[in-house]
Amino acid sequence: MGRSVRVTVRGSFDGLSEAQVAELRAESAAHDFMNTQYTAEGYLAYDLPARPFFTFRFAEEVDGPDEVPAAGVRARSKAEAWMAGRGYPIKGVSVQTVDMAEVPLGKRGRREATRQL
């Protein structure tokens, strides 16, 4: 059985041109920073008028816990390639991976888990 992994790649835009800023602002509705969805292709979120930071959120399935770090490396590569492909300079990139099998269930999750048994 596979394990669900959520990967968050964070960084900041670095020295965007005026045209790039205008382009990002025009597309900002599709990249709402209040949206927290994790997708296989990655969900980019930013609030450029307020701050120069971005967040990419990726979801991936891996076979075991030893593959979780590799999911982080792949997500970072995807995020950096996406930015480079559009000519957006970035800096300060960091990656956080969460193996969802390791996240403790809250009260509601425990209740649902017992119902499924």
Side-chain angles (χ1 to χ4, degrees), residues 47-78:
D47 184 14
L48 203 51
R51 55 194 64 84
F53 306 110
F54 66 87
T55 303
F56 255 108
R57 294 181 178 96
F58 294 91
E60 189 170 333
E61 292 288 322
V62 298
D63 290 328
D66 55 325
E67 295 179 28
V68 172
V73 171
R74 286 189 295 274
R76 180 181 181 138
S77 294
K78 287 180 192 178

Side-chain angles (χ1 to χ4, degrees), residues 15-61:
L16 294 171
S17 70
E18 288 183 28
Q20 289 171 323
V21 170
E23 181 180 329
L24 286 166
R25 284 186 177 169
E27 297 174 2
S28 65
H31 303 284
D32 183 11
F33 73 98
M34 296 298 285
N35 189 340
T36 58
Q37 67 181 306
Y38 287 80
T39 65
E41 59 278 348
Y43 179 81
L44 173 63
Y46 57 84
D47 184 14
L48 203 51
R51 55 194 64 84
F53 306 110
F54 66 87
T55 303
F56 255 108
R57 294 181 178 96
F58 294 91
E60 189 170 333
E61 292 288 322

